[in-house]
Amino acid sequence: MTEATRHAPGTPCWVSLMVHDPDATTDFYGALFGWEFHPGPQQLGPYVRALLDGKEVAGIGRLPADQRLPVAWTPYLAAPDVNRTAEELRSCGGTVGVGPLDAEDAGRLAIVTDTAGAVFGLWQAAGHLGVAAHGTHGTPVWNELVTADTSVVVKFYRTVFGYEEQRDPAADTDRTTLIADGRPVAAVRGVGRALPRDRGSHWLTWFEVDDVDAAVGRVVELGGRVVEAAADGDRGRAATVADPEGAVFTVVRTAG
């Protein structure tokens, strides 16, 4: 397990999930990933941070009872100045839904939407740098934006965060890797009409696991479901699943 330090601008640095039943959700992910939990900032309601070997890897909070928002994992991208990034995002056609606001002494955040409608967060680190462990079972290792077409939304992210881009050379593939500070940090994948109508454009978080097939079986045992069966791909063996409240994520055994 390697520890994370301060993240380069535009790098996914945290991931959180807002749900209707946090107790049941923490039971699910605790059993699946071995997470333990401790309290986090409470500005947006009850919130806990998930830990592996004492290192923070994710957050889980409670949705307001009067809001029927989609239950989904939300990645946060590092921003040295959330206010400035939020203004840049607005000028490029994005929207700001929450904030910017302080999360106690942990940092400053905003929850925003890109030009394709996908929700993500901005995080300006103070006391909390973000994900503190990487590369072992239960840690977030990759984020992918799933959208109908990549061309317009990639331009948005490039303008706001200064990414370099690497297009997939395959003629039948609409996929771009986003590069920050010289290394790949996320991908944008265009799926055309295969984009789920009930979700629209969305970010998908990938979690490392020791055994993908065993993890899929455990998801089902714990009340979740399989969205895409396990298969081998460029990043390793992976499967896309959903937790009991419907939050979709990918489990992967990274190649190499």
Side-chain angles (χ1 to χ4, degrees), residues 2-256:
T2 60
E3 292 190 31
T5 56
R6 190 170 294 274
H7 299 265
T11 303
C13 60
W14 188 243
V15 63
S16 69
L17 176 64
M18 303 297 286
V19 297
H20 302 290
D21 187 344
D23 290 340
T25 299
T26 54
D27 286 346
F28 173 87
Y29 287 100
L32 179 63
F33 291 143
W35 290 350
E36 298 178 343
F37 301 91
H38 73 169
Q42 307 292 306
Q43 273 85 349
L44 302 180
Y47 188 81
V48 295
R49 289 181 181 151
L51 292 84
L52 279 172
D53 296 331
K55 297 178 174 61
E56 296 169 339
V57 295
I60 295 175
R62 175 180 287 138
L63 282 168
D66 59 344
Q67 295 186 21
R68 306 306 298 178
L69 298 173
V71 175
W73 280 102
T74 302
Y76 284 73
L77 307 183
D81 186 329
V82 162
N83 291 57
R84 181 178 298 175
T85 303
E87 285 303 314
E88 178 71 17
L89 179 143
R90 284 193 185 98
S91 71
C92 293
T95 59
V96 178
V98 176
L101 56 84
D102 290 325
E104 298 176 1
D105 59 355
R108 189 163 175 80
L109 68 88
I111 298 174
V112 300
T113 304
D114 67 24
T115 50
V119 176
F120 64 101
L122 304 174
W123 182 252
Q124 178 181 335
H128 174 63
L129 298 180
V131 176
H134 182 89
T136 58
H137 183 87
T139 59
V141 291
W142 188 245
N143 287 276
E144 185 175 66
L145 173 60
V146 182
T147 188
D149 178 84
T150 66
S151 57
V152 174
V153 76
V154 165
K155 181 179 179 180
F156 165 85
Y157 283 97
R158 181 181 67 235
T159 303
V160 175
F161 295 103
Y163 294 123
E164 297 178 3
E165 305 162 30
Q166 183 177 335
R167 292 280 300 176
D168 191 309
D172 60 346
T173 301
D174 182 14
R175 187 174 187 273
T176 297
T177 300
L178 304 177
I179 299 171
D181 198 29
R183 69 181 187 89
V185 296
V188 183
R189 177 164 57 100
V191 297
R193 294 183 179 180
L195 187 69
R197 291 187 178 182
D198 60 337
R199 299 188 67 198
S201 294
H202 59 277
W203 279 94
L204 184 66
T205 297
W206 297 44
F207 293 94
E208 185 76 22
V209 293
D210 293 332
D211 184 320
V212 169
D213 298 272
V216 169
R218 190 69 172 130
V219 166
V220 174
E221 290 175 2
L222 294 167
R225 62 184 174 87
V226 179
V227 177
E228 294 180 12
D232 297 320
D234 292 342
R235 299 198 63 83
R237 186 163 180 80
T240 300
V241 296
D243 69 20
E245 284 208 25
V248 177
F249 60 100
T250 292
V251 290
V252 61
R253 173 66 172 175
T254 301

